[in-house]
Amino acid sequence: MDAPQFKEFAKEMVDYVSNYLENIRDRRVLPTVEPGYLRPLIPETAPIKGDKWEDVLADVERVIMPGVTHWHSPRFHAYFPTANSYPAIVADILSGAIACIGFSWIASPACTELEVVMLDWLAQSHSSVERAGLLGGVKLRSLPVDDEYKLRGETVAEALKEDKAAGLIPFYLVATLGTTSSCAFDSLDEIGPICNEYGVWLHVDAAYAGSSFICPEFRYLMKGIERADSFNFNPHKWLLVNFDCSTMWLKEPAWLVDAFNVDPLYLKHDQQGAAPDYRHWQIPLGRRFRALKLWFVLRLYGVENLQAFIRKHIALAHYFEELVRSDDRFEIAAEVIMGLVCFRLKGENELSEQLLKRINANGVVHMVPSKINDIYFLRMAVCSRFTEREDIEITWKEVRANADLLLSEKKN
Ligand SMILES: *Cc1c(COP(=O)(O)O)cnc(C)c1O
């Protein structure tokens, strides 16, 4: 069925990918298309006979690229980073070729075993937490934070007392190391003992900032982690492993395995119990061979280069912070700890809202806002591995030029 030339396409696509990435800075970050742009560009039905590869590849530029937001542009500063590297991309090609479904050890032993070892490689120093995944869906309560947007121990203690007095059974608390809004770090060392005392499962969400713990100088931010029942971070955000790769360690994996265990006869095998069968650690049955890309990235970059990458992003954020502080029309809205700078025009929220609208309309740089305690601010996240000081300067120029225009219009 496969035409003999199909395998040649793979090689051409690799060239297309490297051209795309190496020249990404020449593309506008945000597309200009309107909703519904795509349908008229392609036929109404699938082709009866296969199309030519050249036509498909040409349509990537004609149909797809005009509608792509270029997340790896050096001036993409929205949300948080999503990782991208050649080692991870090539590992994914191999994973795509092996294309196994790693629900049990025997379904592909390398898939399970590499995952176990990679999670150990990542965990370093923190033997108290072990691996897996979990989910919940019950009555939820958000707790107030302090002036630095951190969740504090006394707030947790009060909430637990109130819930118990109201006849509720509090059983799960999420503390965040590096919140999405402002990258605040909850006071884990205060919260942990209280959760342990009340028998509340403490989950630590370090989705973005967790990658920084590869650098010893940032580990103070995870002080108290030994009290946690589960810990998660996403190498697919900030550790150069392409989406998706989200890692989770559990203090007591058996609690999870017992909850999710499904064991029909056709999935049983002789080595059961000797190695994890990851289908018991998750809700879906199937599991991709993701450990390969983690392995390739850790081996090909090495810890030193990954540390350098994290440090560079944080230095670039501090550089932007410095530029913002040099202009007294602006203020920094939250302490800069990682690669995120929260900033705003002094005064009414509306000013900063209009500023961001103008910036995104130009499409040279892309940012998103957030709001905490009714204070609106812009978030400049250093995202791309291509971002250099010059890009940060371009971003700042773009911010300043739009502020100039906005403020002069307001005066008139
Ligand atoms: C990005 C982010 C998430 C979401 O992570 P996914 O695993 O991609 O769903 C959760 N928590 C925080 C703090 C994040 O920054």
Side-chain angles (χ1 to χ4, degrees), residues 65 84 95 102 111 123 167 206 222 246 263 271 295 328 336 375 402:
M65 285 299 164
N84 177 297
S95 172
C111 179
M222 65 192 305
S246 183
D263 232 358
Q271 282 81 10
W295 193 41
D328 62 13
V336 180
I375 298 173
N402 281 290

Side-chain angles (χ1 to χ4, degrees), residues 13 45 49 91 94 99 103 161 178 191 222 276 284 295 306 320 322 331 344 350 387 407:
M13 185 46 87
T45 53
K49 293 187 191 305
L94 178 56
F103 47 74
K161 267 181 222 147
I191 296 167
M222 65 192 305
W295 193 41
L306 294 171
F320 187 79
E322 202 180 292
E331 62 192 0
R344 64 193 302 281
E350 199 205 320
T387 304
L407 295 173

